[in-house]
Amino acid sequence: MNIKARRNIMKMVVAGVLYILICNVGYGESHEIDEIVRNLILDVTNTMYHARFSVTAFLCSTTDDLNNFSEFLSKNYKLHTILMLSKDYFLTLNDFELSHTNFYVFDLDCSASHELLIEVNEKGMFSAPGKWLMLQDSRLSRTSINETHLKNIFGNLSIFPDSEVTIALRIEDTAVKLLSIYRPNLIADLTFEDRGMWNQEKGIQLQNNDESSRRRTNIMQLPLRAAAVITHPNTMNHWEDCQEKRVDAVSKVGYAFTKLLAARMNTTVNFTFTPSWGYKSPNGTWDGIVAGLIRDEIDLGGTGMFITEHRIGVISYINLYTPSRVRFVFRRPPLSYVSNLFVLPFARNVWIATTLFCSFGYIILYL
Ligand SMILES: *[C@@H]1O[C@H](CO)[C@@H](O)[C@H](O)[C@H]1NC(C)=O
Ligand SMILES: *[C@@H]1O[C@H](CO)[C@@H](O)[C@H](O)[C@H]1NC(C)=O
Ligand SMILES: *[C@@H]1O[C@H](CO)[C@@H](O)[C@H](O)[C@H]1NC(C)=O
Ligand SMILES: *[C@@H]1O[C@H](CO)[C@@H](O)[C@H](O)[C@H]1NC(C)=O
Ligand SMILES: *[C@@H]1O[C@H](CO)[C@@H](O)[C@H](O)[C@H]1NC(C)=O
Ligand SMILES: *[C@@H]1O[C@H](CO)[C@@H](O)[C@H](O)[C@H]1NC(C)=O
């Protein structure tokens, strides 16, 4: 069997597990999902996010139309759920978990969309890692972007720089404008980013291919709170003067990194100091940085921290920027021409004890 045939079989298996859930409850309106919108949705999932997603679509249309849409997604090997957006039917969003594979499509032209947006917001679903594509037909208004209108819809929602909310404004029959929105903090106004265009022939053309973390580097002086670990009181006097580099080295490096990060984000950072990175006590409470993060007293840990089994469940880590390795350190052997160099690092007694211990351990394990 050649590779192509095998791949086709794999695709058939994948297509086999695609599922449809069309909540066919009474609806009074219909907003068609035509070929253009279908292709747009497919292109956005494939091009903008470079990953396999399961598509959850909140739409209002006829059952035929939704069936066609579902068939289209199945043909393109997309796992999907299609939900009817209707005033008579209130969706419960409790079943949606935050996941890296969630891609939501939302039709803003449905009459019940406003209520659902508020519910989505209350559930915190706009935050990372969910991705949203908001569809809006603005062929009739014929204005390029009506920011007032969009601010009325999204003005009060918690769409922060970590979110991925793209608005697809259909400005012509075969052309769609892509905008991205976020607000730097709760008091700031909505920021609009012009992401580019989509059209039938050329697909998506982005103005800027950088990911959000690179594009959104201005949080408008919203102060951040961080924590650093001090194990020696004198560290307080030497954060930035490069003295006593060996004392609390990790904290001092983290402090400098955090300051740099804050400067890059157009903000300042307020440090609190703690003696511990964060360990779980037998009664289940945490201390140190981890406790601060859990209790929302700090926004980020300003010190590098080991990834441990317990911590993984309660905090999230950014990428590793300091490589760490395990090393065995021993005394440098005196140079010798007469004896075996490899036995010199340790005294004879240490070698004997090590051998005995290893044999003993081996016997215990064997029994
Ligand atoms: C669904 O697809 C079929 C065949 O592709 C087409 O004939 C039909 O008009 C479509 N229905 C809708 C509502 O788009
Ligand atoms: C923009 O939207 C607002 C609110 O929906 C509307 O009142 C206004 O007329 C629109 N402006 C334009 C230029 O279409
Ligand atoms: C946003 O919130 C403000 C204050 O809470 C309120 O006056 C305003 O009507 C809200 N806007 C929308 C579009 O919900
Ligand atoms: C940083 O934020 C302040 C306060 O919002 C703003 O006035 C200033 O223009 C921003 N600086 C840059 C470089 O964007
Ligand atoms: C920094 O944190 C300290 C202690 O929590 C607080 O007293 C101080 O007002 C904060 N400073 C700023 C600028 O937020
Ligand atoms: C849990 O244990 C820590 C120290 O081991 C202690 O400080 C804390 O008060 C305890 N919390 C409760 C709720 O018992």
Side-chain angles (χ1 to χ4, degrees):
M1 183 158 46
N2 67 18
I3 291 179
K4 190 142 188 256
R6 204 174 296 166
R7 199 180 297 150
N8 279 341
I9 288 177
M10 280 300 291
K11 280 181 176 174
M12 273 156 63
V13 173
V14 172
V17 297
L18 296 176
Y19 61 97
I20 318 162
L21 174 68
I22 297 182
C23 298
N24 193 2
V25 187
Y27 47 85
E29 58 179 340
S30 163
H31 189 243
E32 196 196 350
I33 301 300
D34 61 11
E35 200 194 335
I36 302 293
V37 178
R38 277 185 231 160
N39 289 333
L40 166 76
I41 293 171
L42 188 67
D43 278 358
V44 170
T45 59
N46 288 342
T47 320
M48 277 172 75
Y49 297 120
H50 315 288
R52 295 212 162 269
F53 280 101
S54 75
V55 179
T56 305
F58 299 94
L59 305 169
C60 50
S61 189
T62 60
T63 320
D64 269 358
D65 198 23
L66 295 184
N67 279 333
N68 274 10
F69 180 51
S70 173
E71 202 177 297
F72 172 81
L73 289 178
S74 302
K75 270 188 196 147
N76 290 287
Y77 317 111
K78 296 280 170 205
L79 212 65
H80 59 276
T81 307
I82 298 176
L83 297 163
M84 186 67 91
L85 238 178
S86 142
K87 267 213 168 18
D88 314 326
Y89 177 65
F90 287 98
L91 293 165
T92 46
L93 297 175
N94 294 330
D95 304 339
F96 293 98
E97 281 178 26
L98 287 183
S99 155
H100 279 275
T101 57
N102 285 352
F103 180 82
Y104 301 99
V105 177
F106 193 102
D107 191 344
L108 290 174
D109 294 320
C110 298
S111 56
S113 63
H114 195 66
E115 283 85 350
L116 191 67
L117 274 186
I118 291 171
E119 203 185 323
V120 164
N121 187 47
E122 279 166 6
K123 290 262 170 356
M125 286 166 70
F126 285 124
S127 60
K131 319 264 187 285
W132 290 81
L133 179 70
M134 305 283 181
L135 306 173
Q136 187 165 55
D137 198 335
S138 53
R139 274 175 292 181
L140 289 180
S141 69
R142 295 206 173 280
T143 51
S144 50
I145 307 169
N146 185 344
E147 291 201 358
T148 334
H149 183 61
L150 292 175
K151 273 181 188 160
N152 281 345
I153 302 176
F154 295 104
N156 285 356
L157 306 183
S158 313
I159 302 177
F160 295 126
D162 68 332
S163 66
E164 291 283 348
V165 180
T166 308
I167 304 180
L169 291 175
R170 187 156 179 193
I171 47 175
E172 280 164 34
D173 278 341
T174 58
V176 175
K177 186 156 192 59
L178 298 171
L179 291 177
S180 172
I181 53 168
Y182 72 96
R183 50 209 298 226
N185 57 51
L186 258 179
I187 35 181
D189 236 353
L190 217 53
T191 305
F192 292 86
E193 287 175 290
D194 186 353
R195 295 307 313 279
M197 292 289 293
W198 176 90
N199 65 36
Q200 181 80 312
E201 300 87 45
K202 294 183 189 151
I204 292 181
Q205 291 156 296
L206 293 182
Q207 305 230 341
N208 182 343
N209 283 310
D210 289 345
E211 59 271 32
S212 304
S213 55
R214 284 191 177 275
R215 285 183 279 117
R216 301 173 179 174
T217 52
N218 182 5
I219 59 168
M220 311 289 257
Q221 294 295 325
L222 171 82
L224 293 177
R225 300 158 303 168
V229 174
I230 43 172
T231 58
H232 193 279
N234 204 24
T235 301
M236 284 307 283
N237 306 321
H238 301 294
W239 281 117
E240 282 168 302
D241 59 6
C242 295
Q243 301 288 307
E244 298 188 7
K245 283 187 225 162
R246 298 215 173 96
V247 183
D248 283 336
V250 175
S251 301
K252 285 173 183 167
V253 171
Y255 185 88
F257 273 142
T258 312
K259 284 256 162 133
L260 257 175
L261 179 80
R264 183 173 181 271
M265 306 285 292
N266 187 18
T267 184
T268 52
V269 58
N270 192 4
F271 272 93
T272 47
F273 301 99
T274 143
S276 161
W277 279 266
Y279 298 94
K280 198 175 185 177
S281 64
N283 63 20
T285 55
W286 288 86
D287 62 359
I289 295 186
V290 177
L293 286 167
I294 292 175
R295 289 199 291 262
D296 200 17
E297 290 163 1
I298 53 173
D299 301 306
L300 70 156
T303 303
M305 213 194 285
F306 280 119
I307 299 177
T308 65
E309 187 189 341
H310 290 303
R311 285 179 190 155
I312 276 186
V314 290
I315 60 176
S316 53
Y317 290 86
I318 60 165
N319 283 354
L320 198 69
Y321 57 80
T322 318
S324 62
R325 294 178 209 94
V326 177
R327 285 282 183 275
F328 190 58
V329 181
F330 55 83
R331 181 164 53 95
R332 185 171 150 218
L335 275 183
S336 159
Y337 300 107
V338 287
S339 39
N340 185 348
L341 270 181
F342 294 100
V343 302
L344 281 178
F346 298 120
R348 179 186 305 238
N349 288 347
V350 178
W351 281 116
I352 293 173
T354 312
T355 318
L356 278 180
F357 183 74
C358 288
S359 329
F360 185 64
Y362 179 77
I363 292 166
I364 294 276
L365 285 178
Y366 186 76
L367 293 179

